[in-house]
Amino acid sequence: MDEELRLMLLGGVRITRGGTPVTGFVSAKAQALLCYLAVTGRPHFRPALAGLLWGERPEANALMNLRQALTNLRRLFPSHIIVTRHTVAFNRNTPYWLDVEEFESGTRILESRLRIQDSGFKIPDSLIRDLEKTIKLYRGDFLEGFYVRDAPTFEEWMLVQRERLRALALQALHILTAYYTNRGKYPLALRYITQLLMLAPWQEEAHRQKMLLLARSGQHSAALAQYEICCRILAKELGVEPSAETQALYRRIKAARSIRRNNLPPQPTPFVGREKELAEIARLLANPDCRLLTLIGPGGIGKTRLAIQAAAQNSQHFLHGVWFVPLTSVPSTAFLVPAIAEALGFSFHSREDPREQLLNYLREKELLLILDGFEHLLKGRDLVVDILQSAPEVKVLVTSRERLNLRWEWLFEVQGMRVPEDENVPEAEDYDAVRLFLQVARRIYPEFSFEEEKAFVIPICRMVEGMPLGIELAAAWVHKFPCAVIAQEIERNLGFLATSLRDMPQRHRSLRAAFDHSWKLLSEEEKRVFRRLSVFRGGFRQEAAKQVAGASFPLLSSLEDKSLIRRNASGRYEMHELLRQYAEEKIREVPGEEEQVRERHCAYYAAFLHSKQTHLGRLKQKETMD
């Protein structure tokens, strides 16, 4: 069996067979002939080949030189060169590997599925992996350093191929850079933009991209040095100065080097878990299409802590840092602009409209603005839109119990922490909910034993459905009660989940206080439906909610938007058990309402069961029982 012939023509010329370099070419033109036949991959007439490499000589002389070169190639590669009376071709049916062919095959997908202006964010990961393997083949330009005398036609062909393959390499490098930039993976993006600049050092846009990547990686001095490199290359190669856009970026980076980069509030306890959520939020923050991200969920679910942790982990991705704006104490939208300005450390300096001054301040900034607790200021969402329209490099991260309902908005639903399914799950301490319970319990009561209390710790975490505030408030009682008593009290009385800690925000000192905040934001009709839905255990469908609680679809959608109910994949509505307990307290405050609603609940399900009676004992028996 023939040994594989390997032709590596990118970044020079290297030809091996069976791992051993092939030598013995009678001339550089014989080697050039092999390269031409292999790359073109089709038969060529003898006179055309003679003209390609010996066109400066008389035809008879040129054909004689071609015969000598072919004799040399057939001796070196007897099965790889096909010679007939009229044509010569490279035999693709023998074992061979050609890097140009592999490279073109790997980049062909670019021509059919991708465009250079694509963001790189929507490209499938599998395609990126293939593209990375392909770009490794590009060790340098086609036939780099290879020279053949007195063969202008071959040289012209070589230059055309070189430019074509370089263009494919540049396109691939642009896409890889964009892909990793848009995911916040700046070291990988820097690797590919540096490789791109080695091929095309005159590309000013690539210099800007590298400056920005270096700055976002915290390498401000290197970013400023890259600007100087750009200036020198543009002056030498093109005789021009950097564009206004490049100069503006230089000034922004220079200014950002000395500014304070965040005002994130310090946290009294270590952050626990949520690795999957943090990774997804980081991905969304890196996505250039996602300018407004709302973390939505009920009170106590951990939206604020998650937002602060995500901002801290991704702060280096924003040239002018991340800025936290606490809104829970802001009484109305009239105070929204001053609250944002205060968090940014911005002072109003003239009689101009404060809103316009704030927008002008943000216009040239690249930062993440965190608006925490926005649900009671929804009438101020037009300010959010103005910020997004006026400041193209500003992103907004909102925490809210209710969605902002804007076209800009991307939603991220914050749910409870991971909870073990039962007490016998191995390595239960690795679950986020259990880890948080143990962190709080051992801080208050260092002798707390998980092994002794495991049978009740896990049910407590399940009772509160992994809600961080519920877990923290429950664990805070371990110095006074065993976990069995804590579990009983949670089932009996929502008010048990409270704390007297003075450094806890007022709305987080009890679950009732957290839920009261949401309750006050409801309309009278929403309050009526919400409290009536407490009669359902284990969820309900839209028809049942309509018959039992008088809930229309718009009202259910409104309660869902406010994070008070949720809809699962099957379309069935559910309510967090602690919220259901709270709603049950509210319905008992209205004389006679609970009895009336429970009567309708019984009547609805009695009728439902009666309608299914005829199916028992028939073909649909299993479906009916389910």
Side-chain angles (χ1 to χ4, degrees):
M1 182 177 178
D2 291 337
E3 292 181 297
E4 183 183 59
L5 175 66
R6 294 179 68 86
L7 298 100
M8 289 154 277
L9 311 183
L10 295 172
V13 179
R14 186 164 181 263
I15 301 170
T16 65
R17 184 170 47 208
T20 303
V22 176
T23 58
F25 290 99
V26 292
S27 64
K29 290 188 176 183
Q31 200 171 11
L33 178 60
L34 173 66
C35 296
Y36 182 78
L37 293 171
V39 171
T40 56
R42 58 184 174 81
H44 296 274
F45 288 107
R46 286 174 176 252
L49 292 176
L52 177 76
L53 290 162
W54 296 276
E56 303 297 300
R57 299 188 179 190
E59 184 177 0
N61 198 339
L63 287 170
M64 182 182 69
N65 280 284
L66 174 64
R67 285 194 296 273
Q68 291 175 350
L70 288 175
T71 300
N72 177 231
L73 293 183
R74 292 187 72 180
R75 178 177 58 80
L76 293 175
F77 314 104
S79 60
H80 289 85
I81 302 298
I82 301 174
V83 179
T84 69
R85 186 174 179 181
H86 301 289
T87 63
V88 181
F90 184 84
N91 186 0
R92 289 177 176 259
N93 295 320
T94 53
Y96 80 98
W97 183 86
L98 174 62
D99 61 353
V100 172
E101 190 174 69
E102 287 289 311
F103 179 75
E104 286 189 288
S105 175
T107 55
R108 195 170 294 132
I109 191 71
L110 300 175
E111 299 171 358
S112 61
R113 291 184 57 187
L114 305 174
R115 294 294 180 267
I116 196 66
Q117 65 268 26
D118 282 352
S119 69
F121 199 87
K122 299 166 186 162
I123 301 173
D125 291 346
S126 58
L127 180 57
I128 289 296
R129 301 290 91 78
D130 292 341
L131 202 55
E132 286 184 305
K133 292 177 184 175
T134 298
I135 203 64
K136 285 181 180 178
L137 296 171
Y138 201 88
R139 298 175 295 115
D141 284 335
F142 176 65
L143 296 181
E144 187 175 304
F146 186 72
Y147 175 69
V148 180
R149 287 191 307 168
D150 301 326
T153 306
F154 175 82
E155 186 173 350
E156 182 181 346
W157 171 82
M158 180 177 69
L159 291 175
V160 169
Q161 297 303 312
R162 183 175 293 172
E163 288 303 312
R164 183 178 64 83
L165 293 169
R166 181 189 288 176
L168 286 175
L170 290 173
Q171 189 176 15
L173 290 167
H174 270 299
I175 290 169
L176 289 170
T177 301
Y179 176 86
Y180 285 114
T181 298
N182 294 340
R183 281 161 175 72
K185 297 182 178 180
Y186 297 146
L188 285 170
L190 276 167
R191 177 203 297 175
Y192 291 116
I193 198 66
T194 300
Q195 191 174 346
L196 188 153
L197 281 168
M198 290 176 68
L199 292 177
W202 56 86
Q203 283 200 7
E204 186 177 355
E205 181 187 352
H207 283 283
R208 281 199 304 273
Q209 205 164 3
K210 186 171 182 180
M211 288 167 62
L212 200 52
L213 286 168
L214 287 166
R216 288 177 177 175
S217 302
Q219 303 177 62
H220 291 84
S221 297
L224 298 176
Q226 186 65 35
Y227 174 77
E228 300 298 336
I229 294 171
C230 175
C231 291
R232 289 197 300 271
I233 290 175
L234 292 179
K236 180 180 178 182
E237 299 288 338
L238 305 176
V240 299
E241 292 184 347
S243 65
E245 186 179 355
T246 304
Q247 292 180 41
L249 176 60
Y250 171 76
R251 290 192 296 271
R252 281 170 55 198
I253 294 172
K254 193 172 182 180
R257 184 169 55 170
S258 57
I259 64 169
R260 183 184 173 201
R261 293 190 52 78
N262 75 74
N263 69 334
L264 296 177
Q267 300 301 305
T269 57
F271 188 82
V272 174
R274 301 277 203 185
E275 286 84 3
K276 185 177 179 181
E277 292 94 328
L278 287 169
E280 178 61 15
I281 293 171
R283 189 185 72 82
L284 290 170
L285 290 177
N287 184 347
D289 295 334
C290 178
R291 297 277 313 285
L292 169 61
L293 176 61
T294 301
L295 306 189
I296 189 170
I301 205 67
K303 301 182 294 295
T304 298
R305 281 300 300 268
L306 185 59
I308 291 172
Q309 185 69 15
Q313 290 185 357
N314 294 277
S315 62
Q316 75 276 13
H317 299 171
F318 298 91
L319 198 58
H320 299 102
V322 297
W323 300 93
F324 182 82
V325 186
L327 298 175
T328 52
S329 60
V330 175
S332 71
T333 56
F335 299 93
L336 189 52
V337 168
I340 295 174
E342 181 181 359
L344 290 167
F346 171 67
S347 300
F348 300 110
H349 50 77
S350 69
R351 293 185 178 182
E352 185 185 358
D353 178 20
R355 186 189 189 102
E356 287 303 315
Q357 289 189 56
L358 176 64
L359 294 176
N360 286 332
Y361 173 77
L362 291 172
R363 202 177 305 276
E364 297 298 324
K365 297 293 187 294
E366 181 189 311
L367 55 81
L368 176 65
L369 194 62
I370 307 160
L371 303 179
D372 180 53
F374 202 85
E375 59 273 348
H376 63 298
L377 300 171
L378 292 177
K379 290 182 180 179
R381 53 193 152 201
D382 58 328
L383 175 61
V384 177
V385 173
D386 285 348
I387 290 172
L388 294 170
Q389 290 177 335
S390 302
E393 298 301 326
V394 169
K395 292 200 175 196
V396 181
L397 176 61
V398 172
T399 71
S400 178
R401 303 183 188 195
E402 183 174 355
R403 61 183 297 178
L404 275 61
N405 207 23
L406 297 171
R407 286 183 300 167
W408 293 86
E409 187 174 36
W410 292 51
L411 288 177
F412 183 90
E413 184 181 356
V414 182
Q415 300 181 349
M417 303 177 98
R418 286 194 320 130
V419 182
E421 295 178 4
D422 57 58
E423 297 76 56
N424 299 317
V425 171
E427 300 177 340
E429 286 186 74
D430 291 339
Y431 284 77
D432 292 351
V434 176
R435 287 169 60 194
L436 179 60
F437 188 100
L438 295 179
Q439 183 198 87
V440 176
R442 287 167 178 164
R443 189 174 69 246
I444 294 170
Y445 183 47
E447 291 79 23
F448 181 81
S449 171
F450 177 60
E451 288 304 316
E452 292 178 8
E453 297 281 15
K454 182 178 179 179
F456 295 101
V457 169
I458 294 175
I460 288 171
C461 292
R462 284 208 305 274
M463 281 180 193
V464 300
E465 297 185 22
M467 179 181 282
L469 181 58
I471 293 170
E472 289 190 38
L473 294 174
W477 287 106
V478 297
H479 67 301
K480 290 189 175 180
F481 302 110
C483 287
V485 174
I486 295 172
Q488 291 171 1
E489 289 297 320
I490 293 172
E491 283 188 319
R492 189 179 63 83
N493 175 22
L494 182 65
F496 178 77
L497 291 174
T499 182
S500 59
L501 291 173
R502 293 297 149 207
D503 61 347
M504 283 278 278
Q506 190 68 40
R507 72 186 190 280
H508 285 164
R509 291 185 185 177
S510 73
L511 271 183
R512 184 175 283 118
F515 296 161
D516 280 344
H517 180 67
S518 295
W519 175 261
K520 291 173 184 175
L521 298 174
L522 299 179
S523 67
E524 289 304 316
E525 197 173 13
E526 288 169 336
K527 289 177 179 178
R528 174 180 57 78
V529 170
F530 175 62
R531 64 180 181 249
R532 289 181 176 183
L533 292 175
S534 66
V535 301
F536 291 101
R537 299 289 187 104
F540 52 89
R541 293 198 175 273
Q542 181 186 340
E543 179 61 26
K546 181 179 180 180
Q547 295 294 326
V548 175
S552 64
F553 180 71
L555 272 173
L556 290 174
S557 296
S558 180
L559 292 175
E560 186 181 3
D561 286 345
K562 291 174 168 61
S563 306
L564 294 173
I565 60 175
R566 57 181 181 252
R567 189 164 33 170
N568 63 26
S570 69
R572 188 176 179 83
Y573 290 94
E574 298 171 341
M575 186 185 293
H576 194 289
E577 174 56 24
L578 296 179
L579 279 168
R580 195 203 64 76
Q581 287 185 33
Y582 178 81
E584 194 172 51
E585 289 182 359
K586 290 298 181 183
I587 198 172
R588 288 172 182 166
E589 294 175 2
V590 181
E593 185 174 38
E594 184 180 17
E595 290 75 13
Q596 293 174 9
V597 176
R598 290 199 182 281
E599 283 293 331
R600 288 202 294 270
H601 183 271
C602 290
Y604 175 81
Y605 282 105
F608 176 81
L609 290 172
H610 181 72
S611 70
K612 299 294 182 184
Q613 186 176 4
T614 55
H615 294 301
L616 292 174
R618 297 186 180 181
L619 293 175
K620 293 186 177 181
Q621 181 174 352
K622 184 180 185 304
E623 180 185 337
T624 303
M625 292 301 294
D626 289 342

